[in-house]
Amino acid sequence: MDTALKAIADPKRREILRLVWTSELPASDIASHFHDVTRSAISQHLGVLRQANLICERRSGNRRLYRANAEEMARLRTFLDQYWTGGLDRLKTAAEAAQRKKDNEHG
Amino acid sequence: MDTALKAIADPKRREILRLVWTSELPASDIASHFHDVTRSAISQHLGVLRQANLICERRSGNRRLYRANAEEMARLRTFLDQYWTGGLDRLKTAAEAAQRKKDNEHG
DNA sequence: CGATAGTGTAAGCGAATGCTTACGTAAGAA
DNA sequence: TTCTTACGTAAGCATTCGCTTACACTATCG
């Protein structure tokens, strides 16, 4: 999970993910979308995303087609949601504990 | 925004954020929560979070009290939400564009 | 077969990261 | 004032990162 979080912390990798979010794309198409960096750099970014299980690879003849792994993306989003709401839960339980303490003091 | 994303990509910084999510804590209390790392390391993590505007610092006598910056946290969460749903938006606009193209071809 | 796309990978490099130790500094306590 | 507590910060170091160039490999075309 931490691997995925670090993977999407990079803007280029987030852009790559958006490219393959809806449509499956060959590595060359993905690479040609970035004009400030080499094809090799993009290939390595794809490797990072692959290792984080955020993209799936399918070989078709000469090409390798990539698409976002919606399942893992969803898991990551859930993790982040739980992290956020987890804070609220802590607030809630803290408030409840304070209330109990207050009640005990009054009882 | 990218700074914030990279800040929360680190597990120790996420834990720090949770510690100061609800209650304001002095740096020493935060540091003493981590037994595998020096107080200095935590201080530097606090610096990263501070630079990402994810925590607020308040001085009280000798101490420095930290708390999570709920506003910035919310902004970050919104950014991530838009990133996720942005993929769906792209799918929608792509479908609309395809439809328009189709209409033109038929016109 | 050889030539040519499409692609991953190894090597190397400069910059950033996360950590430690040592030091600096500001606010009370004696 | 001197000592102590609470903290940031500089320096140094090993590791990781993102990038480039060069090369290796596989599939297709001739």
Side-chain angles (χ1 to χ4, degrees):
Chain A
M1 186 56 65
D2 215 67
T3 312
L5 207 36
K6 283 192 175 159
I8 67 160
D10 184 272
K12 275 204 181 66
R13 286 196 286 264
R14 282 201 303 278
E15 180 63 21
I16 291 177
L17 273 178
R18 294 218 297 193
L19 287 175
V20 299
W21 197 292
T22 66
S23 58
E24 203 177 34
L25 286 182
S28 56
D29 281 22
I30 299 172
S32 65
H33 225 269
F34 298 89
H35 303 278
D36 57 338
V37 104
T38 313
R39 178 195 59 77
S40 178
I42 298 302
S43 180
Q44 289 171 58
H45 278 306
L46 286 171
V48 172
L49 290 170
R50 175 94 178 63
Q51 195 162 352
N53 199 26
L54 287 172
I55 57 173
C56 302
E57 176 192 314
R58 182 173 70 91
R59 305 197 183 190
S60 169
N62 222 3
R63 298 197 190 76
R64 303 201 186 185
L65 304 170
Y66 291 95
R67 64 175 173 81
N69 182 354
E71 238 179 71
E72 191 65 18
M73 298 284 285
R75 285 197 353 118
L76 177 54
R77 194 183 187 187
T78 298
F79 172 80
L80 286 171
D81 273 359
Q82 284 177 348
Y83 176 70
W84 251 271
T85 59
L88 298 180
D89 288 353
R90 287 205 172 191
L91 177 60
K92 182 160 167 268
T93 53
E96 286 168 356
Q99 187 61 41
R100 275 194 300 277
K101 186 166 177 256
K102 199 177 162 192
D103 290 347
N104 286 343
E105 285 168 1
H106 280 261
Chain B
M1 184 56 64
D2 215 67
T3 312
L5 207 37
K6 282 192 175 159
I8 67 159
D10 184 273
K12 276 204 181 65
R13 287 196 285 264
R14 282 200 305 275
E15 181 63 21
I16 290 178
L17 273 178
R18 294 217 299 192
L19 287 176
V20 299
W21 198 293
T22 67
S23 58
E24 202 176 37
L25 286 182
S28 55
D29 281 22
I30 299 172
S32 65
H33 224 269
F34 297 89
H35 303 277
D36 58 338
V37 106
T38 314
R39 178 193 59 78
S40 179
I42 298 302
S43 180
Q44 290 172 54
H45 279 306
L46 286 172
V48 172
L49 290 170
R50 175 96 178 63
Q51 195 161 352
N53 198 27
L54 287 172
I55 56 173
C56 302
E57 175 193 316
R58 181 173 69 92
R59 305 196 183 190
S60 168
N62 221 4
R63 298 197 189 77
R64 304 203 185 183
L65 303 170
Y66 291 95
R67 65 174 173 81
N69 182 353
E71 238 179 71
E72 190 66 18
M73 298 282 287
R75 284 195 355 115
L76 177 55
R77 194 184 186 186
T78 299
F79 172 81
L80 286 171
D81 273 359
Q82 283 176 349
Y83 175 69
W84 252 271
T85 60
L88 299 179
D89 288 353
R90 285 211 170 187
L91 177 60
K92 183 162 166 267
T93 52
E96 287 169 357
Q99 187 60 43
R100 274 195 301 278
K101 185 166 178 255
K102 197 175 162 193
D103 290 348
N104 286 341
E105 284 171 2
H106 279 261

